[in-house]
């Protein structure tokens, strides 16, 4: 059975190949057939999420998948007019997470992009951070981070500077020995 997220991604993928959007994509420096699976949709966004809208209403956005351990866990929308990345469900942490392992394996800096459009235009050769709370844990041991611009570099730096919240730590009392007889 096909998942709701995959069905939505396939519909967006088809729309990106529609000739009506060739000029829009060309203006963005994005040939329609460049990346394997991504698409276009009209959406509305709020502070965290996006919601698909019927064609002709909403804002045009790039729709890109978020995979974790080879499973599709979320989708992102990056509206062309604002470039603000939003997730569909809030389950995605990093777009392009597989690039983290490649950077480690080949001992090279990891590229960090600002949004879905720039990530797609650069052949998905890096990541887009969706949840800044995971940065220090997922990226701390890399040989370097090559940020797309100073705003991204500032966000990465701030993510590493956030204090680590440590839960209360308790020591269990030893159990009294019992005489069994």
């Amino acid at each position: 059975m096909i998942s709701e997220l995959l069905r939505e991604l396939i519909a967006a993928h088809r729309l990106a190949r529609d000739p009506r959007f060739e000029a829009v994509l060309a203006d963005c420096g994005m040939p329609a057939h460049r990346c394997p699976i991504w698409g276009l949709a009209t959406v509305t966004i709020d502070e965290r999420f996006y919601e698909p809208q019927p064609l002709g209403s909403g804002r045009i956005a790039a729709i890109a998948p978020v995979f974790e351990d080879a499973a599709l866990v979320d989708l992102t929308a990056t509206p062309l007019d604002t470039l603000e990345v939003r997730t569909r469900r809030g389950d995605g942490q990093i777009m392009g997470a597989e690039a983290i392992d490649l950077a480690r394996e080949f001992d090279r800096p990891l590229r960090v992009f600002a949004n879905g459009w720039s990530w797609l235009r650069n052949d998905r050769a890096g990541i887009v951070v969706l949840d800044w709370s995971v940065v220090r844990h997922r990226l701390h041991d890399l040989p370097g981070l090559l940020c797309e611009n100073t705003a991204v570099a500032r966000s990465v730096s701030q993510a590493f500077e956030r204090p680590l919240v440590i839960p209360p730590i308790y020591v269990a009392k030893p159990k009294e020995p019992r005489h069994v007889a």
Side-chain angles (χ1 to χ4, degrees):
M1 177 179 254
I2 192 166
S3 78
E4 175 189 335
L5 289 176
L6 186 55
R7 187 181 331 274
E8 189 176 321
L9 181 60
I10 290 169
H13 185 73
R14 287 185 182 135
L15 188 60
R17 273 94 189 125
D18 187 310
R20 294 176 290 176
F21 293 100
E22 266 182 41
V24 171
L25 294 172
D27 288 346
C28 296
M30 189 69 204
H33 304 287
R34 188 164 186 175
C35 296
I37 188 76
W38 69 276
L40 292 176
T42 51
V43 302
T44 56
I45 64 170
D46 63 22
E47 289 300 312
R48 256 187 96 198
F49 303 104
Y50 80 89
E51 187 71 32
Q53 297 299 313
L55 191 59
S57 62
R59 302 149 72 177
I60 289 288
I63 305 298
V66 181
F67 291 98
E68 291 284 337
D69 299 321
L72 179 63
V73 297
D74 211 340
L75 296 175
T76 63
T78 307
L80 181 58
D81 57 349
T82 62
L83 302 179
E84 299 170 286
V85 182
R86 298 293 188 267
T87 62
R88 182 76 171 99
R89 295 183 171 168
D91 296 329
Q93 296 177 335
I94 294 178
M95 290 171 61
E98 62 279 359
I100 298 169
D101 292 333
L102 291 172
R104 266 189 208 104
E105 183 178 340
F106 293 105
D107 195 35
R108 65 177 188 223
L110 175 69
R111 294 180 72 185
V112 184
F113 295 101
N115 61 63
W117 283 104
S118 55
W119 182 69
L120 289 168
R121 273 195 306 265
N122 286 281
D123 295 324
R124 300 167 303 140
I127 64 167
V128 176
V129 177
L130 304 170
D131 179 354
W132 290 99
S133 70
V134 303
V135 167
R136 77 165 58 216
H137 304 291
R138 305 257 327 250
L139 308 182
H140 74 278
D141 61 343
L142 293 174
L145 299 171
L146 179 58
C147 299
E148 179 179 18
N149 57 42
T150 56
V152 173
R154 191 173 326 127
S155 294
V156 169
S157 180
Q158 288 171 350
F160 277 104
E161 292 170 359
R162 287 185 185 147
L164 184 60
V165 178
I166 300 172
I169 300 171
Y170 305 98
V171 176
K173 290 183 180 179
K175 292 185 176 185
E176 296 284 326
R178 288 188 176 171
H179 181 61
V180 181

